[in-house]
């Protein structure tokens, strides 16, 4: 956590994070164009931010894209804010954004964490219903072959659709699939009102990709969620809980306790 605070102490590095917050997934060239800094300075600041895991990167063809990583900030909030305080602070921040800013559409949410496990064990935790039920409450029914459909079983709801399919499966390195069929049963099971469900139905079907990389005695997991604005607004609050539950289960063998109401 010391590295996070040291990284945030520099004004230029905060400007880089602000730039990524405004538009995630930028190349080094794009970040340089938006800031009054040399390419060498931007590269040095990005290296500090990556070391603090505030920024994570992903390759798209020949390009290296930079993403704001919410995991360290979420860890700080978990340490000093109760669940009630976090919800109240989020509501105030949302109100401030509505009053002061023009909302910007987002296309990707990226979350990176490091887990003390093996790539094979992490792959199993992402695909085996015996694992996913424990930290997610969801079971996936599929053979995990590209093109195969996926059926979701989420507590009282079952979600199946011809467009809910496996896109990539390269164990134990990369997994990608389309998801979220917004049925009335799903909405009832997770407490989503009909107005919100109607907004979600107007958006393109979302896609989630997991990138798994060995990192010494740990494994680096990067989750990339591509979706419309309404779903991403919901998911950016849900992913930290899901990934934290996954990490805890793999490292301790015990799921996270249910949050206090």
């Amino acid at each position: 956590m010391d590295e996070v605070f040291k990284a945030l102490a520099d004004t230029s590095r905060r400007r880089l994070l602000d730039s990524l917050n405004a538009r995630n997934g930028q190349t080094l060239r794009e970040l340089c164009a938006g800031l009054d800094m040399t390419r060498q300075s931007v590269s040095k600041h990005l290296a500090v931010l990556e070391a603090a895991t505030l920024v994570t990167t992903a390759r798209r063809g020949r390009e290296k894209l930079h993403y704001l990583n919410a995991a360290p900030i979420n860890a700080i909030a978990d340490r000093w804010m109760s669940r009630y305080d976090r919800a109240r602070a989020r509501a105030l921040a949302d109100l401030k954004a509505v009053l002061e800013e023009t909302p910007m559409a987002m296309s990707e949410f990226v979350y990176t964490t490091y887990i003390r496990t093996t790539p094979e064990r992490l792959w199993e935790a992402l695909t085996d219903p015996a694992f996913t039920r424990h930290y997610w409450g969801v079971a996936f029914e599929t053979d995990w072959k590209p093109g195969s459909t996926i059926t979701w079983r989420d507590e009282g709801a079952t979600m199946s659709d011809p467009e809910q399919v496996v896109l990539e499966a390269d164990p134990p390195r990369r997994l990608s699939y389309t998801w979220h069929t917004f049925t009335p049963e799903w909405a009832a099971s997770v407490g989503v009102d009909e107005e919100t469900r109607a907004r979600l139905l107007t958006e393109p079907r979302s896609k989630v990709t997991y990138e798994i990389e060995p990192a010494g005695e740990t494994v680096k997991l990067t989750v990339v969620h591509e979706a419309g604005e309404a779903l991403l607004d919901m998911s950016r609050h849900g992913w930290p809980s899901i990934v934290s539950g996954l990490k805890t289960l793999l490292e301790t063998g015990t799921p996270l306790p249910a949050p206090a109401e």
Side-chain angles (χ1 to χ4, degrees):
M1 195 168 288
D2 287 345
E3 288 186 340
V4 175
F5 284 115
K6 289 178 181 177
L8 292 172
D10 185 271
T11 303
S12 296
R13 290 194 282 272
R14 292 199 299 272
R15 288 173 60 200
L16 280 169
L17 294 177
D18 286 339
S19 178
L20 290 175
N21 186 48
R23 184 168 66 86
N24 227 355
Q26 295 188 57
T27 64
L28 176 60
R29 176 179 55 79
E30 289 171 327
L31 285 168
C32 291
L35 299 169
D36 186 22
M37 285 190 276
T38 65
R39 185 184 183 92
Q40 183 178 15
S41 295
V42 173
S43 295
K44 288 182 178 179
H45 285 307
L46 285 173
V48 174
L49 292 169
E50 286 189 60
T53 68
L54 285 161
V55 167
T56 188
T57 60
R59 288 283 180 182
R60 295 292 182 270
R62 295 182 179 180
E63 293 186 321
K64 181 180 180 182
L65 304 183
H66 299 80
Y67 295 90
L68 181 65
N69 182 31
I73 305 300
N74 186 67
I76 292 172
D78 281 342
R79 181 168 179 172
W80 285 299
M81 295 180 73
S82 69
R83 184 185 184 199
Y84 171 75
D85 288 334
R86 291 188 68 179
R88 182 172 58 183
R90 183 183 303 149
L92 291 173
D94 290 345
L95 175 61
K96 182 175 185 293
V98 169
L99 293 175
E100 296 183 353
E101 302 173 5
T102 301
M104 295 188 65
M106 294 178 63
S107 60
E108 292 182 333
F109 175 78
V110 180
Y111 195 92
T112 296
T113 192
Y114 292 82
I115 304 174
R116 188 177 294 276
T117 188
T118 64
E120 292 77 14
R121 189 66 169 163
L122 179 52
W123 180 273
E124 184 182 8
L126 292 171
T127 58
D128 188 340
F131 269 97
T132 57
R133 283 193 187 97
H134 280 299
Y135 66 87
W136 199 335
V138 171
F140 302 100
E141 294 181 1
T142 182
D143 59 11
W144 295 113
K145 295 179 180 179
S148 294
T149 58
I150 304 174
T151 296
W152 284 52
R153 298 198 183 277
D154 181 0
E155 298 180 355
T158 297
M159 291 158 284
S160 182
D161 190 276
E163 295 184 4
Q164 195 167 270
V165 298
V166 180
L167 298 173
E168 298 177 65
D170 182 16
R173 291 181 289 271
R174 184 178 172 89
L175 177 66
S176 181
Y177 51 84
T178 58
W179 72 339
H180 272 106
T181 299
F182 301 112
T183 62
E185 293 77 15
W186 168 84
S189 70
V190 298
V192 168
D193 60 68
E194 189 58 28
E195 182 180 352
T196 301
R197 189 176 82 90
R199 287 178 57 208
L200 294 170
L201 287 171
T202 66
E203 298 183 342
R205 184 175 294 275
S206 71
K207 179 178 80 171
V208 63
T209 300
Y210 304 94
E211 297 180 355
I212 302 169
E213 305 172 54
E217 297 183 358
T218 67
V219 177
K220 178 184 178 183
L221 171 65
T222 300
V223 181
V224 181
H225 190 184
E226 301 174 52
E229 184 178 359
L231 180 57
L232 278 183
D233 187 53
M234 298 168 61
S235 298
R236 71 167 60 95
H237 302 311
W239 275 117
S241 176
I242 293 170
V243 177
S244 294
L246 167 63
K247 176 180 171 69
T248 299
L249 183 61
L250 283 171
E251 293 184 341
T252 70
T254 304
L256 280 173
E261 294 296 335

